[in-house]
Amino acid sequence: MAEKLTHFDDKGAAHMVDVGDKPVTSRIAVAESHIRMLPETFNIIQQGRAKKGDVLGVARLAGIMAAKRTPDLIPLCHPLPVTKVAVELTPDPDLPGYRIEATVKTTGQTGVEMEALTAASVAALTVYDMAKAVDKGMEIGGTRVVLKDGGKSGRYKAP
């Protein structure tokens, strides 16, 4: 039998999951995404020639800020004491574009997968925003959790 969705009560109404009885544990989540662009756009960003400024630095900061604001964006997320957020944007000339990895840590009663996914997504969206003047056809994709650890469900690592 499949497990039931936790964000719905017995009547099918959406609700915030009560995590009050769960133990406080160290938790981590890593999410990834990527943004694909024209080779010319990739070169502009790599060479620091974007008119709006430091694309990668701003995207990194936006991802960090987004992780901390996740409960404001996703209706049923718990506000968590995030203890670490790291966002890395790695150039990939084969895309061409950037691979984004967001790592979020907390010590709490629920996981930080949504925070990591939000950080990776907003970092990609920020790259798009800062480079759209030269490339409106950029494509964001591959957003997923690649690692989650801590809590009752234990460790998950994407294949």
Side-chain angles (χ1 to χ4, degrees):
M1 180 174 141
E3 290 194 35
K4 75 176 201 169
L5 298 174
T6 58
H7 286 86
F8 295 95
D9 64 18
D10 293 337
K11 297 176 186 162
H15 73 104
M16 189 177 216
V17 175
D18 182 356
V19 297
D21 292 336
K22 292 171 96 178
V24 173
T25 61
S26 293
R27 296 163 185 267
I28 185 171
V30 179
E32 68 180 10
S33 189
H34 68 263
I35 183 163
R36 186 179 322 240
M37 58 195 60
L38 295 172
E40 298 80 18
T41 310
F42 178 74
N43 290 334
I44 287 169
I45 294 171
Q46 276 297 100
Q47 296 163 7
R49 295 186 290 118
K51 290 194 187 228
K52 287 191 174 182
D54 178 7
V55 173
L56 303 179
V58 172
R60 184 177 303 106
L61 184 57
I64 292 167
M65 292 172 66
K68 298 188 315 181
R69 299 295 304 251
T70 299
D72 295 332
L73 301 169
I74 310 295
L76 300 176
C77 280
H78 292 83
L80 297 173
V82 172
T83 58
K84 177 184 178 161
V85 182
V87 178
E88 297 300 323
L89 292 97
T90 305
D92 184 344
D94 294 333
L95 277 172
Y98 292 86
R99 300 208 175 268
I100 301 163
E101 183 178 272
T103 302
V104 180
K105 291 182 178 181
T106 190
T107 302
Q109 293 169 294
T110 189
V112 285
E113 298 92 21
M114 294 309 301
E115 287 76 6
L117 287 164
T118 301
S121 299
V122 170
L125 289 167
T126 302
V127 172
Y128 184 94
D129 179 53
M130 294 190 70
K132 69 182 184 271
V134 295
D135 187 356
K136 290 177 181 34
M138 289 177 282
E139 178 185 310
I140 295 169
T143 306
R144 67 184 185 140
V145 172
V146 294
L147 174 71
K148 171 254 178 244
D149 200 9
K152 186 172 84 171
S153 65
R155 186 174 181 86
Y156 164 80
K157 187 165 173 55

